[in-house]
Amino acid sequence: MSWRCSAESNASLIDNMRDAGLVKSAAVEAAMRATDRGNYAPSGPYEDRPQRIGFSVTISAPHMHAHALEQLLPCLVEGATVLDVGCGSGYLCTCMAHLVGESGRVIGNDYVEGLTDLSTTNISKTDGALLESGRVQIVLGDGWQGHAACAPYDCIHVGAAAARVPAALVDQLKPGGRMIIPVGPQGGSQHLMRIDKDDGGNVTEHNLMGVRYVPLVEVSANASAGAGRSIFGLLGRK
Ligand code: SAH
């Protein structure tokens, strides 16, 4: 039913997702209203489907962004530290920055330099203050390794399907923290997983639903397959 949420403006897209029960909370609704998807998707930004953003990847569909934010909401509290692996368009970094407030921090990570540049450009259009204040930081790197410099994280969102749950990301999750990650082979059976770490450090996994995401590329494996050429050099262009 999600295609029915397509609209002509950001406000009506959010209205439709709220009416369809996809946007459930006032907090997620406010964050998505405050983040104009038109700044992040080059064409058809208010259609409820993924859109190409270059570099063979897509900005996820609005209903998937809504779902991820609702799932992460218990940990997207004022002052939280968040990691967005595979930030792509930068859209979710901005939504999550609105949720964690002035004392929070969102690290957006991507392994393609053209996409960290795209995130920065998109956020700068009308949300540049988030970058200037340091509430959002965009970093280039292999998401399989997380971003240890700002760990641990209250919340980790992964926007690409991993062949298995990356151990570094589980390590970098705070006790009491939550991660949302699609897991499964490229083009095969993938599941959106919710991974919770309790206050004692015990980890539990919940299978939320079947999904289809672009792969979380195994950068080091591909770099060595590429006879020593850097994966950044191979993929860092449009
Ligand atoms: N949440 C983003 C999703 C973009 S698509 C959005 O809605 O705009 C998935 C992203 O994962 C792409 O930007 C891709 O470059 C990135 N990605 C794939 N493998 C990665 C890796 N190993 N490390 C970091 N980012 C990766």
Side-chain angles (χ1 to χ4, degrees):
M1 71 132 93
S2 41
W3 61 268
R4 292 187 199 155
C5 295
S6 294
E8 297 295 322
S9 70
N10 199 61
S12 47
L13 172 65
I14 310 304
D15 288 345
N16 292 350
M17 290 198 291
R18 183 197 53 204
D19 294 348
L22 295 161
V23 170
K24 299 176 195 302
S25 65
V28 168
E29 182 179 339
M32 294 187 88
R33 283 195 194 283
T35 309
D36 187 347
R37 204 175 155 86
N39 291 337
Y40 298 86
S43 63
Y46 310 120
E47 290 173 24
D48 192 14
R49 67 187 75 191
Q51 302 286 348
R52 292 181 188 282
I53 55 171
F55 305 92
S56 306
V57 303
T58 53
I59 177 173
S60 299
H63 70 273
M64 287 308 298
H65 284 150
H67 187 257
L69 291 169
E70 291 289 356
Q71 285 289 331
L72 290 170
L73 188 59
C75 295
L76 284 172
V77 294
E78 183 80 31
T81 304
V82 178
L83 178 64
D84 184 21
V85 172
C87 59
S89 66
Y91 174 82
L92 268 187
C93 293
T94 299
C95 288
M96 294 194 288
H98 289 305
L99 285 158
V100 300
E102 280 180 19
S103 59
R105 182 142 64 138
V106 178
I107 309 299
N109 151 274
D110 212 287
Y111 83 119
V112 177
E113 191 164 19
L115 287 165
T116 54
D117 288 348
L118 181 69
S119 284
T120 303
T121 301
N122 289 343
I123 296 168
S124 297
K125 289 176 190 166
T126 56
D127 302 303
L130 297 173
L131 294 168
E132 285 150 26
S133 66
R135 197 191 311 185
V136 174
Q137 291 174 34
I138 303 297
V139 299
L140 180 67
D142 178 11
W144 281 90
Q145 309 305 323
H147 185 67
C150 298
Y153 298 98
D154 297 279
C155 210
I156 299 179
H157 173 266
V158 183
R164 60 198 169 279
V165 177
L169 296 184
V170 177
D171 286 349
Q172 290 174 23
L173 200 56
K174 236 181 234 183
R178 175 171 284 187
M179 168 159 59
I180 297 291
I181 177 169
V183 181
Q186 180 172 2
S189 169
Q190 302 173 354
H191 295 276
L192 192 64
M193 307 292 296
R194 190 180 80 208
I195 297 179
D196 290 312
K197 189 183 271 189
D198 71 16
D199 291 339
N202 300 306
V203 173
T204 52
E205 296 186 358
H206 305 265
N207 182 341
L208 297 173
M209 61 167 127
V211 289
R212 181 154 290 210
Y213 278 73
V214 301
L216 188 70
V217 174
E218 306 222 31
V219 176
S220 51
N222 284 340
S224 53
R229 291 169 69 197
S230 157
I231 195 72
F232 300 113
L234 289 170
L235 294 178
R237 54 182 181 266
K238 207 159 187 172

